[in-house]
Structures are given as structure tokens and as C-alpha cells.
Amino acid sequence: MIGVLMFLVGAILNWAYNVIHLVFLVGVWPLILLYPIIIFLLTLEYPQRLFLFIHKFNFPFFADFDQPEVFGFSPGRCRNFKIKTPDNVSLGMWHILPSVLYRQITDAQERHRKVPHGSLVTKGIQRRALIERPVFLYFHGNAGNRAAPTRIATYRNVSERLNCNVVAVDYRGFGDSEGSPTEADLAIDARAAYNWIVDQGVPHTNIVLLGHSLGTGVAARLARDLGKDGIFPRGLVLQAPYMSIPEAAFEYRAFQVVNLFYPLSFFPKIEEYLKNCILDRFNTRSHIPHLNIPVLMIHGAKDREIPVKNSQQLYATAVAAHLGPTKLSLAPEISLTGEEAFRDFVDKTEEVDGGFELEGRRYVSERNKSIVADGEVVGPPKAMFVELTHAHHNSVQAHDLTYDSIEDFLEIPDQASITGASNNSLSQLAE
């Protein structure tokens, strides 16, 4: 009996050894051999930009942007259009109306029952909405296009919860836009989209720059570029931002699991060399101290793709700038010192007993009114960091505290109707 048991145990161990050997032979060893090749390819321009922007993954595939109704919008609520950049690249864009205005128009239609649903949403009505309610210019993350479900959820929340306009742009190479993306070219696209809004008669103080993930770097650079020209929009909202692409790339977890560059952490010199090879850097951390508009950072504590320490570092940078032009070095390096150092540094700026403790934590810092932003690095006039307890990378836009914070921090006016839109006369609503 013992001999039989020993035979069975030996057979099982032999089988397990053969399986493990096969797995290494077929799966692991090829990956080990391919890994240096993959890393080398990522030092080259074309593969590197494919990896960063993932713009070839054009999801939703075969999207009909001319029919936003396919993605759940009511007729006439979302308008598709295109603009040209200064370097003659065509960009696809959407304008989503504030929900209150849209309901006023459709209510008028239902009363008169003389025209198809949504047909009264003319260009004149769209312009009126842009002028009379704040406009959120939205910059999305990498991969996919402006019709991706999580992005549409953001448009809906902004237009319904805040009763504001949303203008969403697909950068070059994304969606139905022409060209191929680079950091410099995305800066051109962002400015072109911003200028289109201004050309509709919208004052700068009624425009909010809203970015998510990769788009936070685009939005932050636009804010910095506008400031250099003496242009100051209403504010900058960064959802799941990063300090810079070189820093984010080496901690980014694809599908919240795989960190491609983790093995290189054991070889600091190679890691540093590869960071220097990154072409598109999107260095948001360097922009924050130079901004002269309110900056709101919102991040999920459960974000495994871009960890929350990125927003913590950006907020700590703003707080340090508020202490004076020479105080930036006081901001702790959170990657080295840990979260407790951040908590200690910004402790006095935390809002407590605000009634949202189960949802997250909010911190607010304001520049000393005695400090004048006259070319000095003094940080934004006010900064807020919202740490959402239960949010991950792509659920920030789903949390109530996100929109409560935007509304409070940027003082979005509470307006129940749009001037003139409630008039019963159809001629008043038409262009």
C-alpha cells in the first residue's frame, strides 16, 4: 500500500514538473527573451507614441459621430461638427447642451406639437447656450474616442448635474480627427478648440478646462500657454492626473494589474535612461506653480493605474507655492517620503466635518492675498484636492462629490433656466 502511494505521489510530482516546464518553455521564456526587445522598441519614436496614446484603438469602433443619438443622446441635444487647426488638421468635436435648456425647448415642442422632437435646437440656440451657461472643454485620456461610454457619462453629469455646456474634442489621430498625435500637436489642438469656443462669443471667465488621465496633461499645458498670453479661463479641473509622463509610465498598471516597467526598477541607470528617451513628457508638475487660475484635482484612492500620490504631489506643490516664490522645495517628495509626509504637510488645509467623510477627503489652499502674481512662481490663486475614498481610475466621473466639489470650488452659478428659452413663441426659440 505504501509503495502504491509513493508511486502515485511520484507520478503527480512528475506531472506537475512537466506542466511547469511546459509553461516556462511556451510562455515565460519567450516573454523573458522578448522583454529587452520590447523595451528597446519603446525608445523609438513610432512605437513609443503608439504605446502612450493608444490612438489606434479607436473605440467605439466604426462610430457614427454624426448621429450622437446612437450613443443615447436625445435628438438635437448633441451636435457633431469639425474645426480646422492653424496647421490645417481637421478635428472632430461634440457640443452637448445644458439639460435645462434642452428640456425647455422640447417642452415647447410638446406644447405646440407642430415640429419633430429636437428640431428646434438651432445653431442660434446652441450659441445662446454657450454664452449664457459655463462651458466645460473636455480633454479625454488615451485610447478610444469621444464616444467612449465613460466619457459620455462625464458629459451627461456636467450637462445635467451642473447645467453646463460640454465641448468634447478628439485630438488628431483619435476618433474622426486627422493626423497623428504628439504633445506639441495636442497643444495646438487644445488651443484650436479653446479658440473656437471664444469665437462663439463666450467670455474666458465662463470656460472651464476639464481633463481626465492623459487629458490632464493637455489641459494643464493649455492653461499654462493661455496664461502666458494673459488669458485666464474660469478654472482647471484635473481628474486622475499625473505628475509627468516619465514618472507615470514607470508606475502605470495596464488593466490595473500589469506594470510593464517594474523589472527595470532594479536597474536605476537603465530606468533613468529610458525616462530621458520619452519624447512627450506632459510635465503637469512643472506647470502648476505658474498657473494663475483656480486648480481642482480629483483622484480615486483606489486608482491602480495612476496612483493617488500623483494628485497628492501636485496639490503639495500648489500649497508650497502659496507659501512664497522660494518655497517650492518645501513640498515633500511623496514617492520617497510616503503618504504620511503629505498628510503632515497639508494638514491645515483639510476640510473636516463637511458631511462627506464617507465619500472622501477635501483639501483647500488659497494664495496669501498679499502675494501678487507678477511673474513670480506663487501657484494658483486657490487649489483644491479631492480624494475619493471608493473611486478608481475610470469611476471618478461617477461620484457625487466630484460634481459637488466642482460646483462649489468654481462657483458655478445655479440657474434654473436660459434667458428667452422659456418663451412660448416658437419664433423666439428658432434661429
Side-chain angles (χ1 to χ4, degrees):
M1 183 60 123
I2 295 176
V4 173
L5 289 174
M6 291 182 65
F7 173 78
L8 289 174
V9 170
I12 292 171
L13 291 175
N14 185 60
W15 174 82
Y17 170 80
N18 288 332
V19 169
I20 294 172
H21 179 73
L22 182 63
V23 168
F24 268 83
L25 188 64
V26 175
V28 177
W29 282 114
L31 287 178
I32 293 174
L33 295 173
L34 283 173
Y35 186 75
I37 299 174
I38 294 172
I39 295 301
F40 169 73
L41 289 175
L42 291 177
T43 65
L44 305 179
E45 179 180 345
Y46 184 72
Q48 184 183 125
R49 285 182 167 141
L50 281 179
F51 180 78
L52 171 61
F53 296 108
I54 321 180
H55 54 291
K56 298 298 184 181
F57 184 74
N58 197 13
F59 178 81
F61 306 112
F62 312 111
D64 186 355
F65 297 104
D66 284 321
Q67 287 191 299
E69 296 79 11
V70 173
F71 305 100
F73 292 105
S74 298
R77 186 178 175 192
C78 175
R79 177 169 72 100
N80 184 55
F81 62 100
K82 291 193 173 185
I83 65 170
K84 286 283 189 179
T85 64
D87 55 343
N88 204 37
V89 174
S90 176
L91 303 179
M93 299 178 67
W94 274 353
H95 171 212
I96 298 93
L97 290 172
S99 61
V100 170
L101 170 62
Y102 184 79
R103 284 197 296 270
Q104 289 170 342
I105 296 172
T106 53
D107 285 349
Q109 289 174 296
E110 290 174 1
R111 287 195 299 271
H112 291 79
R113 299 183 183 279
K114 293 182 180 180
V115 292
H117 182 74
S119 63
L120 287 179
V121 184
T122 63
K123 290 184 177 180
I125 290 295
Q126 290 162 346
R127 281 197 297 271
R128 178 186 296 170
L130 287 168
I131 293 171
E132 297 198 19
R133 290 297 295 164
V135 182
F136 281 72
L137 176 54
Y138 181 73
F139 301 104
H140 62 67
N142 62 0
N145 53 56
R146 64 187 183 277
T150 55
R151 292 162 191 171
I152 288 180
T154 299
Y155 313 154
R156 289 191 181 283
N157 278 310
V158 171
S159 63
E160 294 173 6
R161 292 283 306 272
L162 303 178
N163 190 29
C164 292
N165 298 274
V166 179
V167 174
V169 57
D170 266 325
Y171 323 114
R172 62 186 70 199
F174 290 79
D176 55 346
S177 298
E178 299 173 346
S180 298
T182 68
E183 179 183 6
D185 288 334
L186 264 59
I188 295 173
D189 298 345
R191 187 64 178 265
Y194 185 91
N195 288 343
W196 178 86
I197 296 172
V198 173
D199 289 344
Q200 309 311 302
V202 181
H204 298 292
T205 53
N206 242 21
I207 303 175
V208 177
L209 310 181
L210 170 60
H212 175 254
S213 195
L214 177 74
T216 60
V218 180
R221 173 164 175 172
L222 174 60
R224 175 86 180 272
D225 290 343
L226 290 170
K228 291 177 180 177
D229 294 336
I231 299 172
F232 305 106
R234 189 183 199 92
L236 171 66
V237 180
L238 306 176
Q239 296 181 336
Y242 47 88
M243 291 180 278
S244 71
I245 289 298
E247 291 170 289
F250 282 81
E251 62 185 14
Y252 178 78
R253 292 177 180 269
F255 309 109
Q256 302 187 32
V257 177
V258 181
N259 185 341
L260 177 64
F261 296 106
Y262 176 73
L264 296 178
S265 63
F266 298 100
F267 306 96
K269 290 187 177 180
I270 296 177
E271 181 177 333
E272 190 62 28
Y273 170 76
L274 291 174
K275 284 183 177 180
N276 292 331
C277 289
I278 294 177
L279 301 171
D280 305 291
R281 307 187 74 80
F282 292 101
N283 195 339
T284 300
R285 183 177 181 178
S286 69
H287 297 322
I288 292 293
H290 298 274
L291 300 181
N292 200 23
I293 59 174
V295 178
L296 169 58
M297 292 150 273
I298 308 173
H299 218 121
K302 295 185 178 180
D303 192 333
R304 291 176 56 83
E305 295 181 40
I306 300 176
V308 69
K309 67 181 181 181
N310 284 268
S311 280
Q312 292 172 344
Q313 187 69 67
L314 294 176
Y315 180 71
T317 300
V319 172
H322 287 166
L323 299 175
T326 62
K327 304 296 185 180
L328 279 179
S329 59
L330 295 180
E333 290 294 329
I334 297 166
S335 295
L336 302 176
T337 59
E339 185 174 313
E340 284 307 312
F342 165 76
R343 304 286 181 202
D344 292 341
F345 184 67
V346 302
D347 177 60
K348 293 182 180 179
T349 73
E350 182 177 8
E351 289 188 350
V352 294
D353 300 325
F356 43 74
E357 288 77 9
L358 294 178
E359 299 175 79
R361 307 168 79 165
R362 299 205 306 191
Y363 302 82
V364 182
S365 177
E366 294 191 24
R367 182 200 302 152
N368 191 312
K369 290 181 172 55
S370 64
I371 298 176
V372 180
D374 185 20
E376 297 283 359
V377 181
V378 294
K382 60 179 181 177
M384 174 183 275
F385 167 47
V386 181
E387 185 175 330
L388 299 171
T389 304
H390 306 289
H392 55 75
H393 190 70
N394 286 313
S395 70
V396 172
Q397 80 286 343
H399 286 251
D400 287 342
L401 187 56
T402 293
Y403 302 96
D404 293 341
S405 300
I406 293 174
E407 186 174 27
D408 295 343
F409 184 69
L410 296 180
E411 301 177 359
I412 302 297
D414 181 15
Q415 185 171 323
S417 63
I418 304 296
T419 306
S422 59
N423 195 299
N424 289 334
S425 171
L426 290 179
S427 62
Q428 291 279 328
L429 292 171
E431 183 177 8

